[in-house]
Amino acid sequence: MHPHAHRIRPDTGPPIPARLLAPVLSVIAVLLLTLAALVVTAPRASAAELAPVPSFGTDPGNLAMYEYVPDGLPEGAPLVVLLHGCTQNATDYHRSSGWAEQAERSGLALVYAEQRTTNNANRCFNWFEPGDVARGSGEARSIASMVESAVSRHGLDPDRVFVSGLSAGGAMTAELLAAYPDLFVGGGIVAGVPAGCASGLIDAFTCMNPGKTLTPQQWGDRVRAKLPDGAEPPRVAIWHGTADTTVAPANGRSSVAQWVNVLGLPSEPDGTESLPGPTTVEYYGGGAEDAGVAHFSVAGMGHGTPVDPSSGCGAAGAHFLDTVCSAGYTALFWGIGGNDGGPTDPPTGEPTGEPTEGPAGECVTASNHTHVAQGRAEHRLGYAYALGSGDLLGLWNTAVRTSLTETAVGHWELTPGGC
C-alpha cells in the first residue's frame, strides 16, 4: 500500500525411402489428431482486450482509464470498477485478479483506473489526501467520470455499478463508497482501511499498521460526514488475510464495524460460512444473498488479492495470492455472479442418464448440479458441498462431475477415485 510522495527453389536432396517415411507420417498423424482434440475441447477465447480510453471526461485527478468489454455484451450489463494496489497497474490487475474471467462468465464490463507516477511515485491511489477523496474533486471525480463515460458509451446499467480494489485501491474504494453511494451500489474492500481513516501521509502509515482504534459509532461518523444527503449506503464485501503485515487485519474488522454502523445493522453476524482458502465469511444484516456487509477472512493469507488459478480465477504472483476466488465470491455477493461456473437458477428440464439417490452404501457419479438437485449436496456461493460430510465438490454446474458415497443415511462423502 505504501503511500509515498505525490504526485530459385532449393535442392531438396534424394527422396526419402517409403520404409523410413511411414513412421514419420504416423507420428505426424498422431500429432495432428491430438492438436485437433485440443482445438475442439479448448474454451472459446474472447477477442476482447483491455483497452485504454484516452478521453473520458473531466479528470482533475490525472488518472488513466482502461476498459474490458466482453464480446457480445448486451446493453444493461453491470459495470465493475477496479483499483490496483501500489506498484501495480491496470494490466497487472486485469491479468491476475480473476475479474477478467469473471467478466466473461457473468457478462460484466470492467473499468480499471490507473494511477500515474506523476501523482504518486509508487502508483498508490492517494486515499489519504482530502482533495483526492472528496466528492467532485481529485482522483475520486476522475473515477466517477470513468463510470459516466463507460455507462454512456456501452449502454450499461447505471443502477448496477460496483467498485473494488486492493490495498491503496481498497482504501480508495472505501472513500468512493462514502463519497459516491449514488454511483456505486456495492463495494469490495480488499486489504484496505476504513473510510476517513487518514488525513495525510504520516497519518496513512498509522492507519495501515497497527491501525486506529475507534468505536463503531466513530467509524460510522467518518462515513456519514461524507455521504450526500438522502443517499442510501451501499452493500460492502470486506476481504483481509489474517497474516497481513502490511495492512493490519484489524483494519478489516474496523471496516466491518464502520459499515455495519452506517447501515444500522446488528453488531453480531447473522450467519457464518466456511469457504475454500480456508476462508470464513460472516454476514451482517441477512444471508449470502441479501446481507448488507460480508466479512471474508482468509486464514494465513498475507497482503494481496485472493485468487484461485486452479478454478480459472486469476494468476498467482506478487500480491495475488493462491487461496480463494475473491472476484467470484464478491460478484456472487453483489448479485451479479450468477454464471460463475454455474447458474443461479437450476436449468429447466429433467437430467437424463444420471442415477438417482440410492440406498446407504451406494456410490453415485453425477454432475455437481445434479447432486444438489437430487439432495446429495448443497449449493453455497457457487460451490457444491456434500450433505453430511460437507466435503467441497467444486463449482456448482453441470460440467464438473464427482462421485459421492452414502456412508450413512443422508450422509454423503466425496469419493476421489470414483465409483
Side-chain angles (χ1 to χ4, degrees):
M1 190 167 199
H2 304 298
H4 287 170
H6 333 305
R7 334 257 250 229
I8 174 153
R9 170 178 180 164
D11 181 4
T12 58
I16 301 174
R19 62 185 175 82
L20 297 178
L21 186 60
V24 174
L25 292 176
S26 177
V27 170
I28 292 174
V30 171
L31 289 173
L32 288 173
L33 285 171
T34 302
L35 178 60
L38 289 172
V39 170
V40 169
T41 59
R44 180 183 66 84
S46 173
E49 295 180 351
L50 183 67
V53 181
S55 178
F56 53 85
T58 183
D59 181 24
N62 188 34
L63 301 180
M65 174 184 177
Y66 290 78
E67 67 182 14
Y68 182 78
V69 181
D71 298 341
L73 189 71
E75 288 195 7
L79 169 65
V80 178
V81 177
L82 297 160
L83 310 177
H84 61 76
C86 297
T87 75
Q88 298 177 332
N89 57 33
T91 300
D92 295 334
Y93 215 71
H94 181 68
R95 178 178 57 236
S96 300
S97 67
W99 280 104
E101 297 92 333
Q102 191 65 40
E104 291 290 342
R105 291 169 180 158
S106 299
L108 315 173
L110 306 178
V111 160
Y112 296 83
E114 183 179 89
Q115 183 62 285
R116 301 183 190 273
T117 55
T118 51
N119 295 337
N120 186 294
N122 282 332
R123 288 187 179 270
C124 307
F125 290 100
N126 290 311
W127 56 273
F128 48 88
E129 294 289 359
D132 276 310
V133 299
R135 183 181 180 93
S137 69
E139 294 173 11
R141 183 63 185 97
S142 293
I143 295 169
S145 294
M146 295 179 195
V147 171
E148 294 162 357
S149 173
V151 168
S152 175
R153 289 181 294 106
H154 299 296
L156 305 175
D157 186 348
D159 294 326
R160 289 194 296 165
V161 179
F162 306 84
V163 59
S164 180
L166 164 67
S167 194
M172 182 61 86
T173 292
E175 298 293 344
L176 289 169
L177 294 174
Y180 288 96
D182 50 338
L183 198 61
F184 300 105
V185 297
I189 303 170
V190 184
V193 301
C197 187
S199 58
L201 180 60
I202 296 176
D203 202 20
F205 284 105
T206 301
C207 286
M208 290 163 55
N209 201 335
K212 290 186 176 181
T213 303
L214 277 70
T215 67
Q217 180 70 31
Q218 290 171 324
W219 279 126
D221 288 344
R222 300 281 176 109
V223 171
R224 281 183 285 270
K226 299 168 180 283
L227 285 174
D229 291 340
E232 182 178 344
R235 299 178 71 209
V236 186
I238 297 156
W239 290 82
H240 224 106
T242 64
D244 190 337
T245 57
T246 302
V247 179
N251 284 292
R253 296 189 292 272
S254 293
S255 293
V256 171
Q258 180 173 70
W259 291 102
V260 164
N261 182 266
V262 170
L263 288 162
L265 305 175
S267 59
E268 294 298 319
D270 291 81
T272 302
E273 194 167 16
S274 296
L275 306 178
T279 303
T280 299
V281 56
E282 296 174 335
Y283 300 107
Y284 296 81
E289 297 179 355
D290 59 353
V293 176
H295 181 206
F296 297 84
S297 180
V298 188
M301 189 185 78
H303 188 64
T305 296
V307 297
D308 184 8
S310 65
S311 70
C313 173
H319 304 303
F320 296 103
L321 308 179
D322 188 353
T323 49
V324 61
C325 185
S326 59
Y329 280 107
T330 300
L332 285 164
F333 174 69
W334 289 340
I336 59 171
N339 291 324
D340 181 30
T344 51
D345 297 314
T348 57
E350 293 296 322
T352 56
E354 301 261 10
T356 58
E357 182 177 341
E362 185 169 350
C363 183
V364 180
T365 299
S367 73
N368 281 349
H369 177 267
T370 297
H371 282 316
V372 171
Q374 297 182 353
R376 294 180 292 271
E378 61 181 344
H379 164 237
R380 300 201 305 266
L381 282 175
Y383 286 80
Y385 297 82
L387 283 180
S389 68
D391 290 343
L392 174 63
L393 308 183
L395 290 172
W396 176 58
N397 60 24
T398 57
V400 178
R401 293 174 63 84
T402 51
S403 297
L404 295 178
T405 298
E406 191 177 28
T407 58
V409 175
H411 186 97
W412 295 87
E413 295 183 5
L414 178 64
T415 309
C419 295

